[in-house]
Amino acid sequence: MSKGKILVTGGCGYIGSHTIVDLLLSGHDVVSLDNGVNSSFDVLDGIEKITGRRVINLNVDLSQSEDTLEAVKAHGPFNGIIHFAALKSVEESVYQPLRYFRNNIGSTLTTMELMDALDISHLIFSSSCTVYGTPARLPVTEETPMGRAESPYGATKQTGEILYDSYFNKKQNKTGISLRYFNPAGA
């Protein structure tokens, strides 16, 4: 992505906040979108201490597309979205699958709606190694196919990748990529 304004969903989380610092130090403008469910708004102070810049955070539920569009459109235009926002506990997802489906898949759909409504060209999706299920062969490579999801959390990440793939295959002026983390550091 060229230098410009980036919307970072889940910007108050561990990976999101560290990404915001790197974006700011690289010359990008950033708007965070985070409702604090899996994060702390205190990290905005830390970002400011490190970069000298105060980031706007939109406290909105990304799975609510109309509310999100209304909140985001006043802060554009955006060159891209980095989508970190998600419920993230594999164990919790087993006990609260509907909550995970509603939040994680709903927020993924909203990012596509934002891309269309606000003419945003690029997206990076924070996926997960859980999309591989139990792989038949190790080590896992980028050519390893998705396996059967072993948790509702994993199913939401697989669904996100499938939805994005379908979306980007029909959009000549839009691009996206999925990042499949294994063991990210942090709380």
Side-chain angles (χ1 to χ4, degrees):
M1 288 183 221
S2 63
K3 288 185 173 42
K5 190 179 284 187
I6 309 298
L7 178 66
V8 178
T9 72
C12 294
Y14 182 80
I15 298 173
S17 62
H18 283 74
T19 299
I20 287 174
V21 167
D22 283 345
L23 288 168
L24 291 171
L25 294 176
S26 297
H28 294 277
D29 292 323
V30 176
V31 173
S32 171
L33 191 153
D34 199 307
N35 64 1
V37 169
N38 266 343
S39 60
S40 169
F41 298 127
D42 293 341
V43 302
L44 297 169
D45 297 330
I47 292 170
E48 186 174 18
K49 285 179 185 174
I50 294 167
T51 67
R53 295 172 65 187
R54 186 69 183 184
V55 172
I56 294 170
N57 180 70
L58 306 175
N59 184 349
V60 65
D61 181 348
L62 184 59
S63 68
Q64 302 298 314
S65 60
E66 290 179 22
D67 294 343
T68 301
L69 179 58
E70 190 63 33
V72 170
K73 69 181 177 182
H75 297 280
F78 293 94
N79 297 77
I81 300 173
I82 303 177
H83 179 35
F84 293 115
L87 296 175
K88 60 187 178 186
S89 169
V90 170
E91 181 180 358
E92 182 181 70
S93 77
V94 172
Y95 299 104
Q96 300 178 24
L98 295 178
R99 179 176 178 233
Y100 273 69
F101 297 151
R102 188 173 294 110
N103 184 82
N104 294 2
I105 296 169
S107 64
T108 295
L109 293 171
T110 298
T111 61
M112 290 182 273
E113 291 178 32
L114 289 171
M115 291 184 80
D116 279 350
L118 302 177
D119 195 29
I120 301 170
S121 299
H122 308 286
L123 177 127
I124 297 172
F125 176 50
S126 179
S127 188
S128 169
C129 68
T130 61
V131 301
Y132 297 116
T134 302
R137 185 176 311 161
L138 295 174
V140 171
T141 69
E142 289 185 8
E143 287 77 33
T144 301
M146 286 189 198
R148 185 175 190 281
E150 296 181 356
S151 69
Y153 168 77
T156 67
K157 292 301 183 175
Q158 285 181 336
T159 301
E161 287 198 26
I162 291 165
L163 292 171
Y164 283 130
D165 185 54
S166 295
Y167 176 80
F168 289 117
N169 279 330
K170 303 298 182 214
K171 302 284 183 174
Q172 293 181 358
N173 62 341
K174 300 192 185 302
T175 61
I177 189 167
S178 295
L179 304 177
R180 295 175 176 172
Y181 311 110
F182 279 80
N183 291 314

